[in-house]
Amino acid sequence: MRAMRVHQLDGTLQLDEVEAPQPGTGEVAIAVAACGVNFADTLMVHGKYQEKPELPFAPGMEICGTIEAVGEGVKHLKKGMRVAALCGNGGFAEVAVAPAASCVPVPDNMPDAHVAAFLIAYGTSHVGLNYRARLKEGENLLVLGAAGGVGLTAVEIGKLMGANVIACARGAAKLEAAKEAGADHLLDSESADIREAVKALGGADVVYDPVGGAQFEAALRACNPEARLLPLGFASGDIPQIPANILLVKNLTVHGFYWGAYSRFKPQVLVESFQQLFTWYLEGKLKPHVSHEVPLERATEALELLTTRKATGKVVVTI
């Protein structure tokens, strides 16, 4: 099979011909149709992600495809089933192996690119806002990086949950994407004073932050009493340090949030989340935004679209 693999942790990928992987106990092999690209992939190819696969490896954490082989002990999945799956890495290839427990059957009328763009982005936002932050109807939700892969889904889901959504993104085009996703208020991160602008809109009750750095610090100071903050990534490259005295004075709560960990210690949270998300999709309430579909042999470009912040919504590698 063909696979785009990393041989050195310098961000470059190479198209290789390799043996197709075989599923082990509790696993399935999937003929990949499309693979969602995530910011975590851009870190993994430089050895900067918390999970470090052995070289050489293919990036790609979430896939859509058809099961072509089933490992020992797998009873609920069959060859020929079309599924979404979380594989950790290996998705930039014609065949990938994934834990059977991570596979979710998907609606027949859901396009491959939508499926590949769905699990991590929508799952992260739904579990973060619903399960961790307990977002309530009528609250002010501040979404930083609101035009990114997870940011747009946070805007969509926040509106579905009844929040007043303040979207912060860079430039008119990205703010327009956030507006189309349902944002009530738009802030340009390049020119706005985030702290003062959010306070003028009534302050933040929940902060959804995949960006970190100065934007997190400004958002922290724009929080209302008893606000909840969700740091879920540091796309700015700057991990903020949180002054405990501000948490004390305002009775704030910071929820550490690594969505992928739930597959290991509390998978039922993800199962229930996916059930709700697919219901919303079939009802037409969620509209995945895929800004770029890139063929496998150009997968390096897909990563660059994220690192250069040229993408809105999701980037998908097609096989």
Side-chain angles (χ1 to χ4, degrees):
M1 71 168 191
R2 297 182 306 149
M4 285 291 280
R5 300 197 300 172
V6 178
H7 290 261
Q8 299 182 46
L9 297 176
D10 58 3
T12 60
L13 304 179
Q14 176 180 309
L15 186 62
D16 294 332
E17 288 281 348
V18 297
E19 289 293 321
Q22 300 300 312
T25 301
E27 296 179 333
V28 296
I30 297 170
V32 182
C35 179
V37 185
N38 293 278
F39 188 72
D41 294 310
T42 71
L43 298 176
M44 193 177 291
V45 299
H46 288 94
K48 296 180 179 179
Y49 192 56
Q50 52 258 43
E51 297 175 15
K52 296 177 173 58
E54 183 178 339
L55 292 169
F57 69 89
M61 309 174 79
E62 60 179 334
I63 58 177
C64 170
T66 303
I67 295 175
E68 64 172 33
V70 176
E72 185 178 349
V74 178
K75 306 297 184 184
H76 66 294
L77 300 172
K78 305 295 181 184
K79 183 177 179 178
M81 290 180 66
R82 182 168 174 261
V83 295
L86 300 172
C87 55
N89 63 82
F92 286 13
E94 292 178 325
V95 179
V97 165
S102 81
C103 296
V104 182
V106 294
D108 291 338
N109 61 347
M110 193 173 185
D112 292 334
H114 281 192
V115 175
F118 200 81
L119 291 188
I120 292 178
Y122 280 102
T124 296
S125 292
H126 184 246
V127 174
L129 295 176
N130 181 62
Y131 182 77
R132 293 294 283 159
R134 305 292 184 185
L135 178 67
K136 302 180 184 68
E137 184 175 357
E139 288 190 313
N140 286 349
L141 167 64
L142 172 60
V143 180
L144 304 177
V150 292
L152 273 179
T153 62
V155 172
E156 273 190 283
I157 290 171
K159 282 305 297 179
L160 278 174
M161 294 178 68
N164 179 49
V165 180
I166 306 167
C168 183
R170 184 173 63 176
K174 292 190 174 184
L175 288 172
E176 182 60 29
K179 181 180 179 180
E180 291 177 4
D184 298 286
H185 306 281
L186 306 173
L187 301 179
D188 192 325
S189 60
E190 287 190 312
S191 57
D193 182 329
I194 295 173
R195 176 183 180 180
E196 294 305 318
V198 173
K199 289 173 68 175
L201 292 169
D205 299 305
V206 173
V207 176
Y208 182 97
D209 178 25
V211 178
Q215 291 190 39
F216 177 90
E217 294 168 6
L220 177 67
R221 287 165 171 78
C223 281
N224 292 326
E226 294 192 328
R228 290 87 72 202
L229 298 98
L230 281 171
L232 57 121
F234 312 104
S236 67
D238 182 359
I239 301 175
Q241 303 302 303
I242 303 170
N245 63 309
I246 296 179
L247 305 183
L248 182 153
V249 170
K250 288 192 173 183
N251 290 289
L252 304 181
T253 303
V254 179
H255 293 278
F257 180 46
Y258 173 33
W259 176 83
Y262 282 97
S263 64
R264 294 191 292 272
F265 73 86
K266 215 170 189 180
Q268 189 60 29
V269 170
L270 301 189
V271 172
E272 293 173 0
S273 175
F274 289 147
Q275 290 172 344
Q276 177 63 77
L277 290 168
F278 280 121
T279 297
W280 278 338
Y281 180 89
L282 292 172
E283 292 172 349
K285 294 177 179 177
L286 297 178
K287 297 177 173 62
H289 182 92
V290 178
S291 64
H292 296 81
E293 295 186 37
V294 181
L296 178 64
E297 60 271 16
R298 289 168 43 205
T300 301
E301 296 176 30
L303 296 175
E304 290 172 352
L305 286 166
L306 294 191
T307 57
T308 58
R309 302 188 184 183
K310 293 180 180 177
T312 56
K314 288 286 283 192
V315 176
V316 171
V317 169
T318 56
I319 316 300

